[in-house]
PDB file of all heavy atoms in Angstrom:
ATOM      1  N   LYS A  71     103.930 106.973  93.315  1.00 93.00           N
ATOM      2  CA  LYS A  71     105.187 107.643  93.408  1.00 93.00           C
ATOM      3  C   LYS A  71     105.036 109.094  93.569  1.00 93.00           C
ATOM      4  O   LYS A  71     104.099 109.735  92.972  1.00 93.00           O
ATOM      5  CB  LYS A  71     106.049 107.438  92.104  1.00 93.00           C
ATOM      6  CG  LYS A  71     106.358 105.975  91.813  1.00 93.00           C
ATOM      7  CD  LYS A  71     107.135 105.863  90.496  1.00 93.00           C
ATOM      8  CE  LYS A  71     107.298 104.347  90.093  1.00 93.00           C
ATOM      9  NZ  LYS A  71     107.947 104.261  88.800  1.00 93.00           N
ATOM     10  N   PRO A  72     105.836 109.775  94.442  1.00 86.00           N
ATOM     11  CA  PRO A  72     105.697 111.168  94.638  1.00 86.00           C
ATOM     12  C   PRO A  72     106.065 111.955  93.366  1.00 86.00           C
ATOM     13  O   PRO A  72     107.127 111.672  92.758  1.00 86.00           O
ATOM     14  CB  PRO A  72     106.714 111.502  95.791  1.00 86.00           C
ATOM     15  CG  PRO A  72     107.590 110.363  95.865  1.00 86.00           C
ATOM     16  CD  PRO A  72     106.926 109.193  95.258  1.00 86.00           C
ATOM     17  N   GLY A  73     105.275 112.943  92.942  1.00 85.00           N
ATOM     18  CA  GLY A  73     105.551 113.785  91.818  1.00 85.00           C
ATOM     19  C   GLY A  73     105.675 115.194  92.298  1.00 85.00           C
ATOM     20  O   GLY A  73     105.526 115.475  93.472  1.00 85.00           O
ATOM     21  N   ILE A  74     105.878 116.171  91.379  1.00 81.00           N
ATOM     22  CA  ILE A  74     106.094 117.573  91.814  1.00 81.00           C
ATOM     23  C   ILE A  74     104.724 118.057  92.274  1.00 81.00           C
ATOM     24  O   ILE A  74     104.623 118.819  93.221  1.00 81.00           O
ATOM     25  CB  ILE A  74     106.539 118.473  90.604  1.00 81.00           C
ATOM     26  CG1 ILE A  74     107.738 117.787  89.924  1.00 81.00           C
ATOM     27  CG2 ILE A  74     106.923 119.832  91.128  1.00 81.00           C
ATOM     28  CD1 ILE A  74     107.958 118.343  88.524  1.00 81.00           C
ATOM     29  N   ASP A  75     103.687 117.709  91.607  1.00 77.00           N
ATOM     30  CA  ASP A  75     102.280 118.180  91.872  1.00 77.00           C
ATOM     31  C   ASP A  75     101.484 117.198  92.614  1.00 77.00           C
ATOM     32  O   ASP A  75     100.282 117.105  92.323  1.00 77.00           O
ATOM     33  CB  ASP A  75     101.713 118.555  90.511  1.00 77.00           C
ATOM     34  CG  ASP A  75     101.001 119.931  90.562  1.00 77.00           C
ATOM     35  OD1 ASP A  75     101.456 120.735  91.344  1.00 77.00           O
ATOM     36  OD2 ASP A  75     100.048 120.155  89.789  1.00 77.00           O
ATOM     37  N   GLY A  76     102.040 116.401  93.423  1.00 81.00           N
ATOM     38  CA  GLY A  76     101.317 115.355  94.119  1.00 81.00           C
ATOM     39  C   GLY A  76     101.692 114.031  93.681  1.00 81.00           C
ATOM     40  O   GLY A  76     102.630 113.845  92.955  1.00 81.00           O
ATOM     41  N   GLN A  77     100.861 113.048  94.125  1.00 89.00           N
ATOM     42  CA  GLN A  77     101.201 111.634  93.886  1.00 89.00           C
ATOM     43  C   GLN A  77     100.924 111.224  92.448  1.00 89.00           C
ATOM     44  O   GLN A  77      99.934 111.531  91.866  1.00 89.00           O
ATOM     45  CB  GLN A  77     100.354 110.805  94.912  1.00 89.00           C
ATOM     46  CG  GLN A  77     100.402 109.380  94.727  1.00 89.00           C
ATOM     47  CD  GLN A  77      99.295 108.696  95.496  1.00 89.00           C
ATOM     48  OE1 GLN A  77      99.476 108.134  96.532  1.00 89.00           O
ATOM     49  NE2 GLN A  77      98.043 108.826  94.951  1.00 89.00           N
ATOM     50  N   LEU A  78     101.845 110.414  91.875  1.00 96.00           N
ATOM     51  CA  LEU A  78     101.628 109.872  90.550  1.00 96.00           C
ATOM     52  C   LEU A  78     101.237 108.356  90.703  1.00 96.00           C
ATOM     53  O   LEU A  78     101.787 107.739  91.565  1.00 96.00           O
ATOM     54  CB  LEU A  78     102.827 109.970  89.680  1.00 96.00           C
ATOM     55  CG  LEU A  78     103.339 111.376  89.384  1.00 96.00           C
ATOM     56  CD1 LEU A  78     104.653 111.385  88.684  1.00 96.00           C
ATOM     57  CD2 LEU A  78     102.264 112.168  88.613  1.00 96.00           C
ATOM     58  N   VAL A  79     100.295 107.906  89.902  1.00 98.00           N
ATOM     59  CA  VAL A  79      99.846 106.533  89.973  1.00 98.00           C
ATOM     60  C   VAL A  79     100.235 105.756  88.756  1.00 98.00           C
ATOM     61  O   VAL A  79      99.999 106.226  87.566  1.00 98.00           O
ATOM     62  CB  VAL A  79      98.318 106.466  90.188  1.00 98.00           C
ATOM     63  CG1 VAL A  79      97.848 105.119  90.388  1.00 98.00           C
ATOM     64  CG2 VAL A  79      97.866 107.382  91.356  1.00 98.00           C
ATOM     65  N   TYR A  80     100.809 104.552  88.941  1.00 98.00           N
ATOM     66  CA  TYR A  80     101.242 103.732  87.814  1.00 98.00           C
ATOM     67  C   TYR A  80     100.582 102.342  87.853  1.00 98.00           C
ATOM     68  O   TYR A  80     100.456 101.746  88.844  1.00 98.00           O
ATOM     69  CB  TYR A  80     102.763 103.524  87.828  1.00 98.00           C
ATOM     70  CG  TYR A  80     103.509 104.750  87.505  1.00 98.00           C
ATOM     71  CD1 TYR A  80     103.811 105.736  88.539  1.00 98.00           C
ATOM     72  CD2 TYR A  80     104.003 105.030  86.275  1.00 98.00           C
ATOM     73  CE1 TYR A  80     104.482 106.886  88.267  1.00 98.00           C
ATOM     74  CE2 TYR A  80     104.724 106.213  85.980  1.00 98.00           C
ATOM     75  CZ  TYR A  80     104.945 107.114  86.965  1.00 98.00           C
ATOM     76  OH  TYR A  80     105.638 108.265  86.718  1.00 98.00           O
ATOM     77  N   LEU A  81     100.025 102.000  86.689  1.00 98.00           N
ATOM     78  CA  LEU A  81      99.422 100.689  86.531  1.00 98.00           C
ATOM     79  C   LEU A  81     100.280  99.871  85.607  1.00 98.00           C
ATOM     80  O   LEU A  81     100.476 100.258  84.441  1.00 98.00           O
ATOM     81  CB  LEU A  81      97.990 100.803  85.950  1.00 98.00           C
ATOM     82  CG  LEU A  81      97.296  99.601  85.352  1.00 98.00           C
ATOM     83  CD1 LEU A  81      97.201  98.516  86.359  1.00 98.00           C
ATOM     84  CD2 LEU A  81      96.009  99.917  84.699  1.00 98.00           C
ATOM     85  N   ASP A  82     100.863  98.812  86.090  1.00 98.00           N
ATOM     86  CA  ASP A  82     101.749  97.920  85.280  1.00 98.00           C
ATOM     87  C   ASP A  82     102.787  98.753  84.570  1.00 98.00           C
ATOM     88  O   ASP A  82     103.030  98.540  83.315  1.00 98.00           O
ATOM     89  CB  ASP A  82     100.932  97.065  84.306  1.00 98.00           C
ATOM     90  CG  ASP A  82      99.989  96.157  85.040  1.00 98.00           C
ATOM     91  OD1 ASP A  82     100.325  95.640  86.130  1.00 98.00           O
ATOM     92  OD2 ASP A  82      98.818  95.897  84.523  1.00 98.00           O
ATOM     93  N   GLY A  83     103.345  99.731  85.205  1.00 98.00           N
ATOM     94  CA  GLY A  83     104.442 100.526  84.673  1.00 98.00           C
ATOM     95  C   GLY A  83     103.973 101.731  83.784  1.00 98.00           C
ATOM     96  O   GLY A  83     104.794 102.575  83.450  1.00 98.00           O
ATOM     97  N   LYS A  84     102.679 101.903  83.602  1.00 98.00           N
ATOM     98  CA  LYS A  84     102.157 103.020  82.806  1.00 98.00           C
ATOM     99  C   LYS A  84     101.449 103.988  83.704  1.00 98.00           C
ATOM    100  O   LYS A  84     100.630 103.635  84.533  1.00 98.00           O
ATOM    101  CB  LYS A  84     101.211 102.462  81.706  1.00 98.00           C
ATOM    102  CG  LYS A  84     100.782 103.534  80.749  1.00 98.00           C
ATOM    103  CD  LYS A  84      99.754 102.863  79.736  1.00 98.00           C
ATOM    104  CE  LYS A  84      98.983 103.933  78.994  1.00 98.00           C
ATOM    105  NZ  LYS A  84      97.908 104.557  79.757  1.00 98.00           N
ATOM    106  N   GLU A  85     101.680 105.328  83.502  1.00 98.00           N
ATOM    107  CA  GLU A  85     101.065 106.325  84.374  1.00 98.00           C
ATOM    108  C   GLU A  85      99.560 106.498  84.081  1.00 98.00           C
ATOM    109  O   GLU A  85      99.207 106.607  82.922  1.00 98.00           O
ATOM    110  CB  GLU A  85     101.760 107.659  84.193  1.00 98.00           C
ATOM    111  CG  GLU A  85     101.611 108.537  85.449  1.00 98.00           C
ATOM    112  CD  GLU A  85     101.553 109.997  85.152  1.00 98.00           C
ATOM    113  OE1 GLU A  85     102.431 110.510  84.534  1.00 98.00           O
ATOM    114  OE2 GLU A  85     100.529 110.619  85.613  1.00 98.00           O
ATOM    115  N   VAL A  86      98.753 106.439  85.129  1.00 98.00           N
ATOM    116  CA  VAL A  86      97.322 106.520  84.959  1.00 98.00           C
ATOM    117  C   VAL A  86      96.666 107.481  85.999  1.00 98.00           C
ATOM    118  O   VAL A  86      95.497 107.366  86.321  1.00 98.00           O
ATOM    119  CB  VAL A  86      96.575 105.104  85.148  1.00 98.00           C
ATOM    120  CG1 VAL A  86      96.948 104.169  84.006  1.00 98.00           C
ATOM    121  CG2 VAL A  86      96.973 104.507  86.524  1.00 98.00           C
ATOM    122  N   THR A  87      97.511 108.441  86.408  1.00 96.00           N
ATOM    123  CA  THR A  87      97.073 109.382  87.470  1.00 96.00           C
ATOM    124  C   THR A  87      95.731 110.050  87.161  1.00 96.00           C
ATOM    125  O   THR A  87      94.878 110.138  88.077  1.00 96.00           O
ATOM    126  CB  THR A  87      98.143 110.450  87.637  1.00 96.00           C
ATOM    127  OG1 THR A  87      99.427 109.836  87.754  1.00 96.00           O
ATOM    128  CG2 THR A  87      97.894 111.326  88.906  1.00 96.00           C
ATOM    129  N   THR A  88      95.526 110.589  85.934  1.00 94.00           N
ATOM    130  CA  THR A  88      94.282 111.272  85.642  1.00 94.00           C
ATOM    131  C   THR A  88      93.163 110.304  85.209  1.00 94.00           C
ATOM    132  O   THR A  88      92.049 110.532  85.584  1.00 94.00           O
ATOM    133  CB  THR A  88      94.497 112.329  84.559  1.00 94.00           C
ATOM    134  OG1 THR A  88      95.150 111.759  83.428  1.00 94.00           O
ATOM    135  CG2 THR A  88      95.310 113.536  85.071  1.00 94.00           C
ATOM    136  N   GLU A  89      93.539 109.232  84.519  1.00 97.00           N
ATOM    137  CA  GLU A  89      92.550 108.291  84.031  1.00 97.00           C
ATOM    138  C   GLU A  89      91.777 107.720  85.156  1.00 97.00           C
ATOM    139  O   GLU A  89      90.552 107.473  85.010  1.00 97.00           O
ATOM    140  CB  GLU A  89      93.249 107.113  83.273  1.00 97.00           C
ATOM    141  CG  GLU A  89      93.804 107.530  81.915  1.00 97.00           C
ATOM    142  CD  GLU A  89      95.153 108.128  81.894  1.00 97.00           C
ATOM    143  OE1 GLU A  89      95.604 108.591  82.999  1.00 97.00           O
ATOM    144  OE2 GLU A  89      95.808 108.173  80.824  1.00 97.00           O
ATOM    145  N   ILE A  90      92.339 107.455  86.327  1.00 97.00           N
ATOM    146  CA  ILE A  90      91.640 106.795  87.375  1.00 97.00           C
ATOM    147  C   ILE A  90      90.602 107.728  88.105  1.00 97.00           C
ATOM    148  O   ILE A  90      89.894 107.276  88.999  1.00 97.00           O
ATOM    149  CB  ILE A  90      92.556 106.210  88.454  1.00 97.00           C
ATOM    150  CG1 ILE A  90      93.359 107.258  89.182  1.00 97.00           C
ATOM    151  CG2 ILE A  90      93.400 105.058  87.852  1.00 97.00           C
ATOM    152  CD1 ILE A  90      94.043 106.805  90.474  1.00 97.00           C
ATOM    153  N   ARG A  91      90.547 109.001  87.707  1.00 93.00           N
ATOM    154  CA  ARG A  91      89.532 109.925  88.262  1.00 93.00           C
ATOM    155  C   ARG A  91      88.374 110.064  87.357  1.00 93.00           C
ATOM    156  O   ARG A  91      87.433 110.855  87.612  1.00 93.00           O
ATOM    157  CB  ARG A  91      90.147 111.314  88.456  1.00 93.00           C
ATOM    158  CG  ARG A  91      91.457 111.374  89.255  1.00 93.00           C
ATOM    159  CD  ARG A  91      91.245 111.218  90.752  1.00 93.00           C
ATOM    160  NE  ARG A  91      92.442 110.672  91.416  1.00 93.00           N
ATOM    161  CZ  ARG A  91      92.478 110.183  92.571  1.00 93.00           C
ATOM    162  NH1 ARG A  91      91.396 110.098  93.343  1.00 93.00           N
ATOM    163  NH2 ARG A  91      93.606 109.706  93.054  1.00 93.00           N
ATOM    164  N   GLN A  92      88.373 109.348  86.267  1.00 92.00           N
ATOM    165  CA  GLN A  92      87.261 109.444  85.230  1.00 92.00           C
ATOM    166  C   GLN A  92      86.012 108.978  85.934  1.00 92.00           C
ATOM    167  O   GLN A  92      85.983 108.122  86.777  1.00 92.00           O
ATOM    168  CB  GLN A  92      87.541 108.570  84.040  1.00 92.00           C
ATOM    169  CG  GLN A  92      88.564 109.218  83.069  1.00 92.00           C
ATOM    170  CD  GLN A  92      89.101 108.220  82.073  1.00 92.00           C
ATOM    171  OE1 GLN A  92      88.685 107.051  82.011  1.00 92.00           O
ATOM    172  NE2 GLN A  92      90.094 108.614  81.310  1.00 92.00           N
ATOM    173  N   GLN A  93      84.861 109.459  85.398  1.00 90.00           N
ATOM    174  CA  GLN A  93      83.516 109.194  85.935  1.00 90.00           C
ATOM    175  C   GLN A  93      83.157 107.712  85.953  1.00 90.00           C
ATOM    176  O   GLN A  93      82.586 107.222  86.932  1.00 90.00           O
ATOM    177  CB  GLN A  93      82.506 110.004  85.178  1.00 90.00           C
ATOM    178  CG  GLN A  93      81.280 110.213  86.063  1.00 90.00           C
ATOM    179  CD  GLN A  93      80.039 110.669  85.240  1.00 90.00           C
ATOM    180  OE1 GLN A  93      80.029 110.609  84.048  1.00 90.00           O
ATOM    181  NE2 GLN A  93      79.054 111.191  85.910  1.00 90.00           N
ATOM    182  N   ASP A  94      83.509 106.969  84.945  1.00 95.00           N
ATOM    183  CA  ASP A  94      83.149 105.512  84.884  1.00 95.00           C
ATOM    184  C   ASP A  94      83.885 104.751  86.004  1.00 95.00           C
ATOM    185  O   ASP A  94      83.334 103.816  86.613  1.00 95.00           O
ATOM    186  CB  ASP A  94      83.364 104.920  83.541  1.00 95.00           C
ATOM    187  CG  ASP A  94      84.751 104.988  83.030  1.00 95.00           C
ATOM    188  OD1 ASP A  94      85.524 105.908  83.502  1.00 95.00           O
ATOM    189  OD2 ASP A  94      85.180 104.262  82.163  1.00 95.00           O
TER     190      ASP A  94
END
Side-chain angles (χ1 to χ4, degrees):
K71 298 180 188 176
I74 313 163
D75 225 28
Q77 174 196 256
L78 298 174
V79 185
Y80 291 83
L81 163 61
D82 298 326
K84 187 182 163 284
E85 207 212 303
V86 293
T87 313
T88 50
E89 286 85 343
I90 63 164
R91 306 284 156 197
Q92 285 165 5
Q93 207 195 12
D94 56 340

